């Protein structure tokens, strides 16, 4: 009833743990049965190991959080050697989230992932917390077309492109990425935002700006998913402040094939299970046999 | 599997201005220096608060906390019988097994919180407490039956030594030092201990989100690269840490 097929990959349900909040799943496995998830998107990878940003990395706002982790990760080789075998031991779809500073880094990262049994690649052109690359590729359509088409040329895996809400025009950006060869779109990544420590008279983050996520961005993310889903003919994965089955169902009705949960994992580590169960309960209560009956119904 | 469980608050008392002791009924695991993630609300604030174990007895665990922001303000309004959710114990805690001879506990402000349970559990050593505060002192008399001596300071000179606790701390007479407090104070203590080649273990306080090692927001710089304060720490060998302060 809850299964979803995206680009030929069968997800047992539409709940995917979002990149950056779930590590590689290892820690959450100690808390609940993570094989119940539809999929897991890995911590954002870069070609080489990255130590991430200095200074404060998290700050709470009204119904949201700002993060400035800066893609700390073990690098693609470290992921393949130390994390992927664990992820593949789970009964869930494994998505490798790949970021980078230059097109060459993305290309080399894809070449390495091509030779693995990763199920799907999520191309991160939307991280606001790295100084070079990252979100820079996700703002202007021409830059996004360049990188997505070059990656598409060599990528042997289904390619999901994660869009930035900071794009100049989210719909044009989505269409551009599809024209460049994206098989799936996920949206949205965090919003570029900031906070100030008024006692120190300084921004709280060393990088001044950081990425905003959580329930405060949900209505905007939902609107973007609705607009994009109506404009492209590839599956769309909704992300942004989803913390309940009501939220997830809104995204699905707005046109999302699946959803990702990020900040919500901090509220309750097994919140995805609550959402899966809540969607199922709603469907039974409303006599809905498959998610296709309500997807994009708005 | 560990997970958040709901418990009942049995006590939430003010021990000093802005400092509360919250006790929760139940059977709990945990060693000195470990912490729990606490939340006493639904979805807002999003993040739970990491609080170290202050004391643990057969059917009760206690947390000493300072009211600093939205979360701790909400904790301070809890009454007996109110519901609170706990996840833990988390982190590595102090390794007390190898400690011998003369040991010093050095605490700054709310860093005194995990030292009480540490003092209670640390057996077979000669133990001294050094505690520094801004203005008012708190809970140091509770240590009396577990330590050989107590030395304390206040920034304002209200009681004890006027100035920093590091002014009156000499690591050279100790075989080990355990420390918790503001980073700038721990940096000083580590420098003093390193100069005398005295082993020092410090409990790092960092903002956390998941509390279990997945999100990497609590990175602590060490000589071996970033470590996670929640999972690899919060207790680190002082020689390994590269301080921001």
């Amino acid at each position: 009833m809850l299964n979803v097929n995206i680009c030929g990959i069968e997800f047992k349900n539409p709940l995917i743990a979002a990149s950056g909040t779930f590590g590689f799943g290892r820690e959450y496995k100690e808390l609940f049965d993570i094989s119940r998830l539809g999929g897991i998107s890995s911590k954002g990878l870069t070609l080489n190991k990255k130590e991430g940003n200095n200074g404060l990395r998290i700050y709470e706002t009204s119904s949201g959080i700002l993060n400035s982790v800066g893609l700390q990760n073990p690098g693609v080789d470290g992921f393949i050697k130390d994390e992927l075998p664990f992820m593949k031991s789970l009964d869930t779809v494994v998505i490798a989230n790949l970021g980078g500073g230059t097109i060459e880094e993305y290309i080399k990262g894809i070449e390495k992932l091509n030779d693995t049994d990763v199920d799907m690649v999520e191309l991160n052109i939307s991280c606001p917390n790295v100084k070079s690359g990252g979100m820079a590729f996700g703002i202007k359509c021409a830059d996004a077309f360049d990188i997505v088409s070059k990656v598409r040329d060599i990528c042997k895996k289904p390619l999901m492109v994660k869009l930035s809400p900071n794009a100049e025009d989210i719909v044009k950006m989505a269409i551009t990425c599809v024209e460049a060869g994206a098989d799936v779109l996920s949206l949205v990544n965090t919003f570029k935002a900031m906070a100030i420590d008024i006692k120190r008279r300084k921004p709280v983050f060393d990088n001044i700006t950081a990425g905003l996520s959580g329930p405060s961005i949900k209505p905007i993310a939902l609107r973007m998913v609705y607009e994009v889903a109506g404009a492209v003919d590839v599956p769309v994965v909704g992300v942004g402040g989803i913390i309940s089955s009501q939220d997830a169902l809104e995204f699905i009705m707005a046109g999302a094939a699946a959803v990702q949960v990020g900040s919500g994992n901090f509220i309750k580590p097994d919140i995805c299970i609550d959402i899966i169960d809540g969607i199922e309960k709603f469907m039974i209560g409303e006599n809905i046999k498959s998610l296709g009956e309500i997807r994009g119904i708005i | 599997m560990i997970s958040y469980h709901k418990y009942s608050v049995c006590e939430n008392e003010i021990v000093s201005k802005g400092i509360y002791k919250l006790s929760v009924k139940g059977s709990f695991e945990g060693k000195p220096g470990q912490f729990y993630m606490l939340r006493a609300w639904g979805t807002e604030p999003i993040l739970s608060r990491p609080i170290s174990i202050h004391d643990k007895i057969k059917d009760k665990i206690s947390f000493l906390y300072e009211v600093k922001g939205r979360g701790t303000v909400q904790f301070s309004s809890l009454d007996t019988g109110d519901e609170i959710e706990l996840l833990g114990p988390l982190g590595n805690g102090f390794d007390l097994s190898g400690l011998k001879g003369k040991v010093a506990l050095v605490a700054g402000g709310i860093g005194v919180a995990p030292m009480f349970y540490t003092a209670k559990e640390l057996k077979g050593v000669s133990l001294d407490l050094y505690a520094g505060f801004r203005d008012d002192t708190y809970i140091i008399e509770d240590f009396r039956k577990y330590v050989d001596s107590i030395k304390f300071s206040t920034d304002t000179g209200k009681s004890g030594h006027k100035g920093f606790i590091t002014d009156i701390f000499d690591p050279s007479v100790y075989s080990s030092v355990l420390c918790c407090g503001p980073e700038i104070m721990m940096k000083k203590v580590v420098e003093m201990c390193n100069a005398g080649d005295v082993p020092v273990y410090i409990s790092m306080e960092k903002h956390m989100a998941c509390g279990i090692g997945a999100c990497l927001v609590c990175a602590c710089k060490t000589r071996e690269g970033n470590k996670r304060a929640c999972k690899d720490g919060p207790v680190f060998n002082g020689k390994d840490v590269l301080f921001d302060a």
Side-chain angles (χ1 to χ4, degrees):
Chain A
M1 180 162 82
L2 292 173
N3 61 310
V4 183
N5 190 297
I6 300 175
C7 302
I9 297 168
E10 190 72 11
F11 292 72
K12 67 179 82 167
N13 61 62
L15 258 288
I16 301 167
S19 178
T21 58
F22 211 76
F24 302 98
R26 211 179 275 281
E27 293 78 15
Y28 284 88
K29 187 172 185 282
E30 295 174 25
L31 274 62
F32 72 100
D33 178 11
I34 59 175
S35 289
R36 283 202 62 199
L37 296 171
I40 299 174
S41 182
S42 76
K43 168 72 194 157
L45 304 168
T46 48
L47 179 65
N48 300 311
K49 182 180 175 178
K50 208 165 169 7
E51 286 290 289
N53 291 337
N54 291 329
L56 188 71
R57 289 183 169 191
I58 193 140
Y59 182 83
E60 273 198 277
T61 65
S62 303
S63 296
I65 46 177
L66 291 163
N67 92 80
S68 180
V69 173
L71 291 182
Q72 180 182 332
N73 79 93
V76 173
D77 286 338
F79 165 72
I80 293 169
K81 180 173 168 283
D82 299 326
E83 307 294 348
L84 185 55
F86 165 77
M87 290 183 81
K88 286 303 292 182
S89 73
L90 305 166
D91 179 21
T92 190
V93 174
V94 174
I95 302 167
N97 181 289
L98 180 70
T102 64
I103 290 180
E104 289 68 33
E105 278 178 36
Y106 280 96
I107 299 290
K108 283 180 184 166
I110 291 287
E111 284 171 347
K112 287 176 184 283
L113 292 170
N114 273 343
D115 297 331
T116 68
D117 48 7
V118 157
D119 297 306
M120 183 181 275
V121 171
E122 182 175 43
L123 202 66
N124 180 359
I125 57 169
S126 45
C127 177
N129 293 325
V130 287
K131 284 197 169 75
S132 63
M135 192 180 76
F137 292 111
I139 301 292
K140 292 188 182 295
C141 290
D143 296 334
F145 186 87
D146 192 27
I147 192 163
V148 173
S149 55
K150 281 178 176 150
V151 164
R152 179 67 282 170
D153 281 348
I154 61 154
C155 185
K156 296 176 185 168
K157 308 283 182 184
L159 183 65
M160 177 154 67
V161 177
K162 189 167 189 177
L163 303 184
S164 169
N166 308 299
E168 287 178 339
D169 181 326
I170 194 75
V171 174
K172 276 187 191 163
M173 175 59 77
I175 292 168
T176 300
C177 288
V178 172
E179 286 173 350
D183 302 306
V184 193
L185 299 174
S186 54
L187 63 151
V188 291
N189 204 321
T190 55
F191 286 69
K192 189 176 177 183
M194 71 181 290
I196 292 169
D197 181 335
I198 58 169
K199 285 190 179 165
R200 290 172 59 234
R201 279 87 159 156
K202 285 181 176 173
V204 301
F205 292 106
D206 283 9
N207 276 0
I208 301 176
T209 59
L212 177 66
S213 63
S216 53
I217 71 165
K218 196 208 94 181
I220 315 173
L222 183 67
R223 184 268 295 172
M224 289 180 168
V225 165
Y226 169 72
E227 289 177 350
V228 165
V232 298
D233 56 3
V234 301
V236 170
V237 175
V239 201
I242 296 168
I243 62 166
S244 68
S245 55
Q246 156 89 32
D247 295 334
L249 285 159
E250 286 186 46
F251 275 86
I252 291 164
M253 289 184 186
V259 295
Q260 295 185 1
V261 172
S263 304
N265 297 311
F266 303 148
I267 294 173
K268 192 169 181 289
D270 58 351
I271 200 164
C272 288
I273 304 302
D274 292 353
I275 297 172
I276 293 165
D277 293 344
I279 293 172
E280 187 172 31
K281 193 177 169 191
F282 176 81
M283 290 172 72
I284 292 168
E286 299 283 321
N287 196 28
I288 299 163
K289 303 286 185 232
S290 80
L291 288 169
E293 289 179 36
I294 53 170
R295 184 176 305 119
I297 202 163
I298 303 301
Chain B
M1 283 189 186
I2 58 165
S3 63
Y4 277 96
H5 289 292
K6 288 177 182 170
Y7 297 92
S8 181
V9 171
C10 59
E11 209 170 26
N12 190 25
E13 58 174 2
I14 296 185
V15 298
S16 184
K17 189 183 173 189
I19 307 291
Y20 287 70
K21 189 165 103 173
L22 173 78
S23 300
V24 178
K25 261 188 195 160
S27 178
F28 295 93
E29 300 290 322
K31 61 181 193 175
Q34 287 193 295
F35 68 95
Y36 277 75
M37 297 295 278
L38 275 62
R39 60 187 304 125
W41 47 80
T43 58
E44 175 68 25
I46 290 172
L47 304 179
S48 305
R49 283 3 188 202
I51 313 274
S52 62
I53 300 170
H54 173 62
D55 193 13
K56 187 171 78 68
I57 56 174
K58 198 177 169 189
D59 62 346
K60 194 167 83 171
I61 193 166
S62 299
F63 303 95
L64 192 78
Y65 63 93
E66 182 173 10
V67 176
K68 284 182 180 171
R70 283 194 296 163
T72 44
V73 165
Q74 291 207 38
F75 289 152
S76 70
S77 68
L78 292 172
D79 286 326
T80 301
D82 284 349
E83 202 171 72
I84 187 163
E85 289 181 89
L86 270 62
L87 173 74
L90 301 169
N92 58 358
F94 289 110
D95 181 5
L96 306 183
S97 61
L99 299 182
K100 292 177 195 160
K102 216 167 150 49
V103 177
L105 304 178
V106 184
I110 198 63
V112 76
M115 292 309 188
F116 181 68
Y117 186 42
T118 305
K120 266 178 78 175
E121 292 294 300
L122 195 45
K123 309 280 196 305
V125 298
S126 167
L127 192 60
D128 294 332
L129 173 70
Y130 293 82
F133 301 90
R134 273 194 301 269
D135 191 19
D136 292 318
T137 63
Y138 42 87
I139 68 132
I140 52 175
E141 286 307 313
D142 295 355
F143 281 80
R144 196 65 73 183
K145 69 183 197 183
Y146 301 107
V147 299
D148 296 293
S149 78
I150 296 173
K151 292 187 174 64
F152 61 96
S153 69
T154 52
D155 297 350
T156 58
K158 190 169 184 177
S159 59
H161 166 75
K162 182 177 180 179
F164 298 132
I165 194 65
T166 46
D167 302 340
I168 53 170
F169 172 61
D170 175 9
S172 67
V173 297
Y174 293 99
S175 44
S176 302
V177 174
L178 309 181
C179 181
C180 184
E183 205 161 314
I184 195 157
M185 175 208 129
M186 291 203 290
K187 183 183 180 190
K188 175 75 178 171
V189 170
V190 167
E191 283 169 358
M192 292 167 76
C193 290
N194 286 349
D197 209 18
V198 177
V200 54
Y201 299 91
I202 58 175
S203 180
M204 298 295 288
E205 187 188 3
K206 295 281 183 185
H207 286 78
M208 294 180 186
C210 71
I212 56 172
C215 71
L216 310 181
V217 306
C218 63
C220 176
K221 275 195 225 167
T222 76
R223 295 184 197 287
E224 297 174 348
N226 282 338
K227 300 272 186 183
R228 302 163 297 181
C230 69
K231 185 84 171 179
D232 305 314
V235 176
F236 293 95
N237 187 327
K239 286 182 177 171
D240 295 336
V241 173
L242 302 172
F243 291 96
D244 287 329

